[in-house]
Amino acid sequence: MKRVCVLLPLVFASVLAGRPMSYEQKVYSTNIIIESAEHVFPQVLRKIVRENQSMEELVIMFVVPEKANIENELKKYLDNETNLQNEITAALYHVDNSATSSEGNPLLVDPPISNLITLGQTRRDLTLNVPEFLIDTIGLNRTHDEDYKNKHMMCRLKGLVKSMAEPFNYIIEYALGETLKSTGRVICNLTTIHNDVVWDLV
């Protein structure tokens, strides 16, 4: 598998380029890193979904980076991209202990002529099957996998799956509803950018 050097701090790229990295550059470099880390990316996504980002932030990070409100919240979304890069770097180092060489260091290269819409489609292509893969994997190992009982996490994964299927109507909020007495499963309510509410079971 082709690897890139993900241990070089991305701040070096900014210093060497003599200017701060734009959001478009961040998304582009994150896409390159994700592409190099297919074997660890599911565990990275799982870890991040367990944490405290809002549903909308998760969806923008993994599904629709082009929808980030960079006019008013640029720093937040730059930080989210950096944090995702750092999580992948840590996972690669932990698994391989070998992410220390560079093949031309593509992180120092400006993105090709493109726009955030194109970069967003690339992000979806790279992450498309991962949320559903995690849901299936956790479900198959429900007896031993503690995440199966984490209904908040499972609902957030459902929101990512829904957003992958309909990125034009992506999920911005989630809420857990009642527990069904017959099965013990919980209703997961998902609110879209257009204020539609859909539901699933977790």
Side-chain angles (χ1 to χ4, degrees):
M1 178 181 293
K2 186 176 180 180
R3 299 284 168 80
V4 296
C5 178
V6 293
L7 292 182
L8 286 175
L10 290 176
V11 68
F12 288 176
S14 298
V15 171
L16 289 173
R19 64 189 187 280
M21 220 181 236
S22 70
Y23 180 68
E24 182 176 289
Q25 289 170 314
K26 279 281 193 181
V27 172
Y28 174 70
S29 60
T30 304
N31 285 349
I32 292 176
I33 294 171
I34 293 171
E35 188 173 15
S36 76
E38 181 180 358
H39 61 308
V40 299
F41 191 70
Q43 74 186 57
V44 170
L45 191 150
R46 182 192 280 226
K47 180 178 185 296
I48 292 174
V49 173
R50 284 195 199 109
E51 295 172 352
N52 296 320
Q53 286 96 343
S54 70
M55 185 75 246
E56 186 171 17
E57 284 183 85
L58 288 174
V59 170
I60 287 172
M61 185 184 298
F62 293 113
V63 185
V64 285
E66 71 272 26
K67 299 298 185 180
N69 183 0
I70 57 175
E71 183 175 342
N72 296 314
E73 298 181 282
L74 175 61
K75 184 179 185 303
K76 178 173 79 172
Y77 289 108
L78 284 172
D79 288 347
N80 286 349
E81 289 292 308
T82 298
N83 291 339
L84 177 54
Q85 293 174 1
N86 289 341
E87 291 288 355
I88 296 171
T89 296
L92 280 172
Y93 186 78
H94 178 74
V95 170
D96 297 335
N97 199 25
S98 63
T100 55
S101 64
S102 173
E103 296 181 15
N105 200 359
L107 300 186
L108 301 184
V109 178
D110 283 341
I113 296 173
S114 62
N115 55 44
L116 276 173
I117 293 174
T118 302
L119 294 172
Q121 183 59 57
T122 299
R123 180 69 55 89
R124 289 187 288 282
D125 292 342
L126 292 168
T127 62
L128 176 63
N129 298 315
V130 179
E132 193 155 16
F133 167 79
L134 285 174
I135 291 170
D136 292 344
T137 300
I138 293 167
L140 287 171
N141 295 288
R142 62 174 63 94
T143 304
H144 306 289
D145 196 322
E146 292 185 359
D147 283 334
Y148 184 74
K149 298 178 182 178
N150 186 342
K151 300 303 182 182
H152 287 277
M153 173 185 168
M154 297 301 289
C155 189
R156 283 146 70 87
L157 283 172
K158 295 278 189 177
L160 289 175
V161 170
K162 171 69 174 172
S163 298
M164 290 288 188
E166 298 184 51
F168 53 88
N169 195 30
Y170 61 92
I171 302 301
I172 58 170
E173 292 181 0
Y174 82 99
L176 296 181
E178 65 178 305
T179 300
L180 301 182
K181 293 180 181 179
S182 58
T183 62
R185 299 186 75 184
V186 178
I187 294 175
C188 166
N189 294 297
L190 302 167
T191 303
T192 75
I193 189 67
H194 296 122
N195 291 318
D196 303 317
V197 177
V198 296
W199 64 275
D200 207 327
L201 294 175
V202 293

